[in-house]
Amino acid sequence: DEASMGAIVAATPEGLRKEGDVAGGAVPEGEKEIGQFAVTPSGGVLQPGQSMAIEVKFVPKGSEVYREDLKILISGCDEADSNVTNASVYECIGESCFPGM
């Protein structure tokens, strides 16, 4: 379910634009928190042949196992193609434990 996933937007697809936003508008590039994970950058624009590093930091708030699905959205891709959809979802799992006395 896409609503339960954290998403990083590589370019703002038509369906994700807020009402009143203009096509080709600004894409957020700061940090985005997705559950107990922080993703940087949260978006960007790439030209064909370019690449971009994405950093995912685990920032737990308690001693347990955390799991989030991270979806990278790329404008211009056929969202009906299951190969494209499945290739853009990444499972992030982190287990934290804090020393106790």
Side-chain angles (χ1 to χ4, degrees):
D1 175 52
E2 197 169 301
S4 67
M5 292 187 202
I8 296 178
V9 180
T12 309
E14 187 69 36
L16 293 180
R17 280 192 217 111
K18 293 183 179 131
E19 191 172 322
D21 282 357
V22 179
V27 175
E29 294 183 3
E31 184 175 271
K32 178 175 177 110
E33 288 187 19
I34 302 169
Q36 305 302 306
F37 299 90
V39 182
T40 308
S42 63
V45 177
L46 299 175
Q47 298 301 318
Q50 286 185 312
S51 62
M52 175 186 289
I54 298 173
E55 180 179 320
V56 179
K57 289 190 275 184
F58 180 49
V59 190
K61 293 189 169 87
S63 295
E64 57 187 278
V65 176
Y66 297 95
R67 180 192 170 283
E68 295 291 339
D69 286 326
L70 174 67
K71 183 169 187 175
I72 298 178
L73 304 173
I74 302 172
S75 65
C77 289
D78 181 4
E79 294 181 29
D81 183 345
S82 63
N83 292 321
V84 171
T85 305
N86 294 334
S88 65
V89 177
Y90 299 89
E91 181 178 36
C92 297
I93 299 174
E95 181 176 3
S96 64
C97 61
F98 295 97
M101 297 199 100

